[in-house]
């Protein structure tokens, strides 16, 4: 089962900020997907194993950003089908 982690981050102002955060997370964790948005002030990642939120926070804050909140929730892939069963 996958875990979706949503982080609220303060201090991102451009695409390079997003890249710095994404790279920092990839160095510490084996993620399936990571995406950041400086406009929304969030980073979302999909990971297979339970995540150490303190280590995640530390990795981001080492880059000079402030982690305001971290939420973890189970993630199930949403399938797309043109032929839905009734």
């Amino acid at each position: 089962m996958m875990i979706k982690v949503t982080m609220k981050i303060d201090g991102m102002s451009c695409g390079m900020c997003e890249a710095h955060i994404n790279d920092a997370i990839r160095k510490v964790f084996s993620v399936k997907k990571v995406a950041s948005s400086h406009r929304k002030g969030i980073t979302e990642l999909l990971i297979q194993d339970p995540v150490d939120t303190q280590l995640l926070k530390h990795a981001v804050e080492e880059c000079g950003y402030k982690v305001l909140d971290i939420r973890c929730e189970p993630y199930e892939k949403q399938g797309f089908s043109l032929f839905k069963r009734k």
Side-chain angles (χ1 to χ4, degrees):
M1 181 167 79
M2 299 291 289
I3 299 168
K4 178 181 176 184
V5 180
T6 305
M7 302 171 54
K8 193 169 187 117
I9 299 175
D10 186 40
M12 288 191 287
S13 60
C14 65
M16 285 304 295
C17 295
E18 297 169 357
H20 288 147
I21 290 172
N22 294 347
D23 290 344
I25 291 170
R26 284 186 190 108
K27 285 181 184 176
V28 179
F29 296 97
S30 176
V31 296
K32 295 288 183 182
K33 181 179 179 182
V34 61
S36 297
S37 170
H38 70 278
R39 292 180 189 191
K40 294 179 182 178
I42 62 168
T43 295
E44 293 181 326
L45 56 124
L46 294 178
I47 192 163
Q48 186 75 38
D49 301 314
V51 64
D52 180 342
T53 56
Q54 290 294 29
L55 184 58
L56 182 58
K57 180 179 178 179
H58 179 74
V60 171
E61 292 188 345
E62 280 286 303
C63 296
Y65 305 95
K66 178 79 174 155
V67 176
L68 303 175
D69 186 42
I70 300 176
R71 285 183 285 127
C72 301
E73 59 190 336
Y75 175 81
E76 290 187 30
K77 186 175 180 179
Q78 302 295 319
F80 175 75
S81 175
L82 294 174
F83 309 103
K84 295 186 179 189
R85 293 183 181 178
K86 293 182 181 182

